[in-house]
Amino acid sequence: MPRIHLVSNLPGVNALGDHLRAAGLGPTSARSADALLVLIDRPLDHVEQELLDRARQSVPVLLAGPTVRALPADSPLVEASGLIPGRATPPYELRLQAGPQGSAIMARAGDFRPRESWVIPEKVADDVERLLLIRHEMGEFPVCTWRPATGLGMFTLGTGAAVLGDPAYHRLVGRWLRHCLGVLDAPPVGVGLLGTPDTTAAHHAGLDATEGLELTALCDGGPGRAPAHAAGRLPRRVEDPDDLVNDPELGVVVVATPTHTHLEWAGRALEAGKHVVVQAPLCLATPDADQLAELAAERSLLLAVYPEGRTDPGYHALRAAVGRGAIGEPLRLEVHRGGLRRPAGTWRDDERISGGQLHDRGAAGVDQVLALVDEPVEWVSAAELKRVWYHVSNADHSRLLLRFANGAEAQITVSDLTVAARPSLEVLGSTGTLILDDAFAANLEPFDGGPAATGRHAGRRGAPDDDAAGAVSLLLTTYDGVRTRYPLPAPGPAWGGTEAFYRDLADSLVSGWPLAGYGVEAARPVIAVLEAAVHSVATGGAQVVPL
């Protein structure tokens, strides 16, 4: 593990240090470090010569953030870097692009557009590697560099608190460090996809779009033709699922089968020595989750769960607002999934296969709630109604109530009977309320102060199945009467869906990056709550403590 010594006096830099540590760039003292990373806003004075000496000893010295602006023009560090800094621009939204030697740094970087000032270089030496570029005034200028001949690098972003605290910036700094240390990515990993045509489609698209992962084999019982979105090398069609999980070309197996088979196929793949991704929910019972976790740990394999809705831009914005204290302490959370629809009668509507309405369509809401309230769940109470759709075995309408140790409560409703529009997520806090929704916000809360839409079109959803429709507005109302509405981008590759998840998975498998938040440690509490809900329904809504 490379050892990094971080030198900084900037507030909020601890998050960067935590990320580098989790990414395998372990902290150490300056004397024993494999690389030195400096983010400081004051002159380095006598330290400059020491840094130059370390660089001459083949220890990369990387100057980031405001460091270059704090150095005098005649600094020997500036001369050694090969980059002569010029004027600093005013802050504006920046679009980074890979330079001639920076493709590995920008790999799977997503759509990172920091708003910040940067330094336009006046001169760049010929032997300086131009890693990240910014297009400015008809030219392309390096914002991140590395000069192997002197062991000096510069990255002039990270001067403001917002960028310094952004995980996307942490990732770029980490990959910059790896580049300067000569740490290379592993070869692409072969992936096998197991499921049904309807469940594998989104995973297929996400894998196709992800550098570092190669969809090698597909077993979904579908026709032999390629999907409409397929490009490049097509996966081999495999008829027998057992052949897929034992395929020696595969390093990863994605299990997107009906829920009641997750334990079987995830277990078989782990026993075959494969890393495993399971489409949420992980399984139907906590003993099954523990069994899979034990199998993965025994074999030092990755077991990840793809949670639908975690990377939705609306939820991402709401969680960020809660995290920065916009509504104080979360006290009451309301999640709503569904609308008025006749169930199609697929396996998702079969209680024996899907685990029931809450397991199939409420798991994402449980996952979101548990991430918003950092407290143990004291008890769970649940109820179901069956009055209309008798051609399927799942409930028509389900309600799940969670009580947390600090007194906070959450209610998750999944319904195929709801006619009136409902916010998809509402969080009542000690100082305000956040409301996340799609057509509800657009139709019933007009932006221009004009009349709200009424009649047959009032509150109509933008999609027949609003479980899949992304929110377009986040409304914050505080107790002093201030209302703030945040328009949100439409879901897409830059934000949510399988693309974001598989970027993180590839970073873990080929770059050694941590896959935080997708493991059994996050998935098991969701299964425990859903399992308790099943027991509660069976006992008439009794309060059940999750295991």
Side-chain angles (χ1 to χ4, degrees):
M1 178 186 295
R3 296 163 298 175
I4 308 302
H5 182 67
L6 175 60
V7 180
S8 181
N9 69 331
L10 304 181
V13 79
N14 289 341
L16 172 59
D18 292 342
H19 175 86
L20 298 177
R21 184 182 305 110
L25 298 168
T28 189
S29 66
R31 183 177 297 276
S32 59
D34 296 309
L36 301 175
L37 176 62
V38 183
L39 294 97
I40 202 164
D41 61 1
R42 60 173 180 245
L44 294 170
D45 299 330
H46 64 281
V47 179
E48 288 195 44
Q49 188 57 51
E50 181 181 342
L51 293 175
L52 281 172
D53 290 342
R54 295 306 305 278
R56 293 191 186 103
Q57 298 166 7
S58 299
V59 176
V61 175
L62 308 183
L63 310 178
T67 309
V68 64
R69 305 185 197 190
L71 297 173
D74 59 352
S75 166
L77 287 174
V78 172
E79 181 181 356
S81 74
L83 185 147
I84 307 301
R87 66 182 177 88
T89 70
Y92 66 98
E93 185 178 87
L94 306 176
R95 296 196 177 199
L96 303 180
Q97 61 188 61
Q101 297 85 20
S103 59
I105 295 177
M106 286 295 288
R108 303 178 297 277
D111 193 24
F112 177 48
R113 299 186 184 183
R115 180 177 179 82
E116 196 173 50
S117 168
W118 63 288
V119 176
I120 302 174
E122 291 184 354
K123 184 178 180 181
V124 182
D126 292 340
D127 63 343
V128 169
E129 295 183 358
R130 300 151 61 93
L131 304 177
L132 301 180
L133 305 177
I134 292 177
R135 189 167 185 83
H136 182 74
E137 295 178 352
M138 305 301 293
E140 291 180 340
F141 300 91
V143 68
C144 180
T145 63
W146 167 241
R147 194 180 193 187
T150 61
L152 261 293
M154 292 244 184
F155 192 3
T156 58
L157 294 187
T159 60
V163 173
L164 191 61
D166 193 317
Y169 176 72
H170 302 162
R171 185 184 180 282
L172 289 177
V173 171
R175 296 192 73 90
W176 177 41
L177 278 161
R178 285 166 54 91
H179 175 87
C180 300
L181 287 163
V183 180
L184 303 178
D185 281 355
V189 179
V191 181
L193 181 52
L194 175 62
T196 59
D198 61 318
T199 60
T200 58
H203 293 278
H204 198 155
L207 288 163
D208 281 345
T210 305
E211 179 183 349
L213 300 176
E214 290 185 354
L215 181 54
T216 304
L218 173 65
C219 179
D220 66 355
R225 61 183 177 83
H229 61 263
R233 178 187 174 190
L234 299 179
R236 288 184 285 103
R237 287 280 178 175
V238 178
E239 298 298 327
D240 189 339
D242 196 58
D243 290 341
L244 183 136
V245 298
N246 288 288
D247 190 328
E249 290 189 33
L250 305 181
V252 179
V253 170
V254 178
V255 178
T257 57
T259 308
H260 75 314
T261 67
H262 285 183
L263 173 65
E264 176 187 0
W265 290 114
R268 287 198 190 187
L270 289 169
E271 289 171 347
K274 306 294 192 288
H275 300 295
V276 172
V277 172
V278 181
Q279 179 166 302
L282 173 61
C283 51
L284 296 178
T286 51
D288 297 347
D290 295 337
Q291 180 180 335
L292 291 174
E294 185 177 350
L295 274 173
E298 287 174 351
R299 291 159 176 77
S300 298
L301 294 170
L302 181 148
L303 173 61
V305 179
Y306 167 62
E308 298 180 50
R310 177 87 65 83
T311 53
D312 172 78
Y315 175 70
H316 187 277
L318 183 143
R319 186 176 179 184
V322 171
R324 64 175 176 263
I327 58 168
E329 181 185 7
L331 301 175
R332 175 80 183 183
L333 299 88
E334 295 266 0
V335 176
H336 190 271
R337 297 285 185 270
L340 181 62
R341 70 155 196 155
R342 187 180 192 274
T346 67
W347 66 263
R348 291 187 175 279
D349 302 312
D350 188 323
E351 186 175 28
R352 296 167 302 171
I353 299 174
S354 68
Q357 191 180 54
L358 283 173
H359 266 89
D360 187 62
R361 294 162 59 204
V366 174
D367 181 69
Q368 291 177 342
V369 164
L370 295 183
L372 290 170
V373 183
D374 189 19
E375 291 284 338
V377 177
E378 280 194 339
W379 52 260
V380 166
S381 175
E384 294 179 348
L385 292 174
K386 188 68 175 176
R387 296 290 188 275
V388 178
W389 309 120
Y390 288 105
H391 65 291
V392 297
S393 57
N394 271 4
D396 298 339
H397 180 97
S398 304
R399 186 269 302 158
L400 171 61
L401 180 64
L402 287 77
R403 173 82 175 188
F404 293 90
N406 66 343
E409 292 187 347
Q411 180 167 293
I412 298 165
T413 302
V414 182
S415 179
D416 289 325
L417 303 178
T418 304
V419 178
R422 295 278 302 275
S424 57
L425 178 56
E426 181 175 348
V427 184
L428 169 69
S430 55
T431 61
T433 299
L434 282 161
I435 299 177
L436 177 65
D437 202 31
D438 44 13
F440 179 86
N443 292 345
L444 301 185
E445 298 276 1
F447 286 89
D448 58 3
T454 57
R456 65 179 294 188
H457 296 294
R460 291 293 294 270
R461 301 275 180 180
D465 182 2
D466 67 343
D467 290 346
V472 297
S473 181
L474 175 64
L475 175 65
L476 167 64
T477 304
T478 53
Y479 291 160
D480 56 7
V482 176
R483 293 159 57 91
T484 306
R485 192 183 303 283
Y486 304 92
L488 303 171
W495 271 100
T498 57
E499 292 89 348
F501 169 79
Y502 282 118
R503 284 199 302 267
D504 289 344
L505 179 68
D507 273 345
S508 176
L509 295 177
V510 305
S511 301
W513 242 243
L515 189 63
Y518 296 113
V520 177
E521 70 283 350
R524 190 190 188 281
V526 175
I527 302 304
V529 166
L530 294 172
E531 185 179 35
V534 172
H535 293 311
S536 179
V537 169
T539 54
Q543 296 175 3
V544 179
V545 179
L547 299 176

